[in-house]
């Protein structure tokens, strides 16, 4: 199975801050990676697909990058509605595997 | 508008079975597969399995292999996930998601396994 190591597991940031979350795959997954945002009590929402493509309707402050084994989600200027938990997901091979999540909290 | 609507919450005893449904709206159900993902209380996301909407192929996660059966009723645009021999660790919110992959999610179905 491909392991997805996500870091950090949590972070505190202020509105307007630049935030970076990283996922590392245990083996190469090309660009078969998505990023998801989840708010408490809600279903996850896809933000990024194919590692760097922005899902329709998602603000441009969200940016995904990377290929192979190293991937990054960057929020360029954190907004109040961005406080949530973020997950990466590899879909290169079965079983699909999620990163452990990053909880973004208000400083 | 693409939408997935899931069945309601279930409470089951250990050893029982549960069947969760997921109805699709606004797209051709046979074009995409359906993934199932679960989230135990306070925990992260865990992929459970996938079924093709085209040819019925399936792939299951290790924790449910042998206990889960996924099916699709293409006429009703509805996917089902049945989980048998339930244990307390199966307590979770179960989500279905369109196999784009996982571009659209259902609202979730709470399954509680408790004696």
């Amino acid at each position: 199975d491909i392991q997805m190591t996500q870091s950090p597991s949590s972070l505190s940031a202020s509105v307007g801050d630049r935030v970076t979350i990283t996922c590392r795959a245990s083996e190469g997954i090309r660009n078969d990676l998505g990023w998801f945002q989840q708010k408490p009590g809600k279903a996850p929402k896809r933000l990024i697909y194919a590692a760097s493509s922005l899902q329709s309707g998602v603000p441009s402050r969200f940016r995904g990058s990377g290929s192979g084994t190293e991937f990054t989600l960057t929020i360029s200027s954190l907004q109040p509605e961005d406080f949530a938990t973020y997950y990466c997901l590899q879909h290169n091979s079965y079983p699909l595997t999620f990163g452990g999540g990053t909880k973004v909290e208000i400083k | 508008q693409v939408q997935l609507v899931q069945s309601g919450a279930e409470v089951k005893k250990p050893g029982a079975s549960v069947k969760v449904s997921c109805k699709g709206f606004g797209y051709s159900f046979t074009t995409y597969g359906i993934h199932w993902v679960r989230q135990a209380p306070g925990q992260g996301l865990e992929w459970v399995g996938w079924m093709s909407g085209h040819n019925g192929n399936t792939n299951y996660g290790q924790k449910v292999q042998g206990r889960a059966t996924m099916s699709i009723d293409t006429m009703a645009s509805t996917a089902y996930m049945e989980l048998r021999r339930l244990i307390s660790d199966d307590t979770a919110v179960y989500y279905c998601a369109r196999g784009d992959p996982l571009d659209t999610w259902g609202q979730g179905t709470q399954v509680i396994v408790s004696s």
Side-chain angles (χ1 to χ4, degrees):
Chain A
D1 297 2
I2 296 174
Q3 307 303 316
M4 301 301 295
T5 303
Q6 187 173 339
S7 62
S9 57
S10 65
L11 64 90
S12 295
S14 300
V15 172
D17 283 354
R18 181 184 182 90
V19 167
T20 299
I21 300 168
T22 298
C23 261
R24 176 178 293 117
S26 60
E27 58 188 82
I29 59 170
R30 302 182 303 182
N31 69 337
D32 298 330
L33 183 117
W35 288 97
F36 297 81
Q37 176 193 67
Q38 187 180 32
K39 297 183 179 179
K42 299 294 186 182
K45 169 188 172 184
R46 193 172 75 172
L47 303 175
I48 301 287
Y49 64 96
S52 60
S53 296
L54 192 67
Q55 182 73 29
S56 175
V58 173
S60 58
R61 63 181 179 272
F62 291 94
R63 178 175 172 270
S65 62
S67 182
T69 60
E70 295 279 339
F71 301 87
T72 299
L73 174 69
T74 301
I75 309 172
S76 59
S77 177
L78 200 63
Q79 297 302 299
E81 60 268 29
D82 301 337
F83 292 95
T85 301
Y86 295 84
Y87 296 92
C88 63
L89 166 74
Q90 71 79 21
H91 57 89
N92 177 263
S93 64
Y94 289 109
L96 305 194
T97 43
F98 288 93
T102 296
K103 186 173 184 179
V104 177
E105 298 176 302
I106 301 173
K107 183 182 284 186
Chain B
Q1 177 188 0
V2 175
Q3 192 178 7
L4 296 172
V5 177
Q6 298 183 225
S7 50
E10 303 265 11
V11 180
K12 297 291 183 179
K13 293 191 183 301
S17 298
V18 69
K19 192 170 186 177
V20 180
S21 68
C22 169
K23 184 172 176 62
F25 297 89
Y27 74 100
S28 172
F29 207 70
T30 54
T31 301
Y32 300 86
I34 290 287
H35 292 270
W36 293 89
V37 174
R38 69 182 181 182
Q39 187 169 38
Q43 302 301 308
L45 301 172
E46 178 189 13
W47 181 81
V48 175
W50 169 86
M51 183 170 194
S52 167
H54 174 62
N55 58 19
N57 286 350
T58 55
N59 198 299
Y60 297 104
Q62 183 181 9
K63 288 185 180 179
V64 302
Q65 181 76 46
R67 297 193 297 130
T69 300
M70 294 174 188
S71 58
I72 287 181
D73 180 343
T74 55
M75 293 297 294
S77 298
T78 301
Y80 302 91
M81 187 204 61
E82 181 180 30
L83 192 56
R84 300 177 297 278
R85 302 193 303 275
L86 289 167
I87 59 176
S88 58
D89 284 354
D90 293 322
T91 293
V93 176
Y94 287 74
Y95 295 101
C96 61
R98 192 171 76 156
D100 187 56
L102 289 87
D103 67 332
T104 301
W105 293 61
Q107 82 276 20
T109 296
Q110 175 78 63
V111 174
I112 295 172
V113 182
S114 174
S115 55

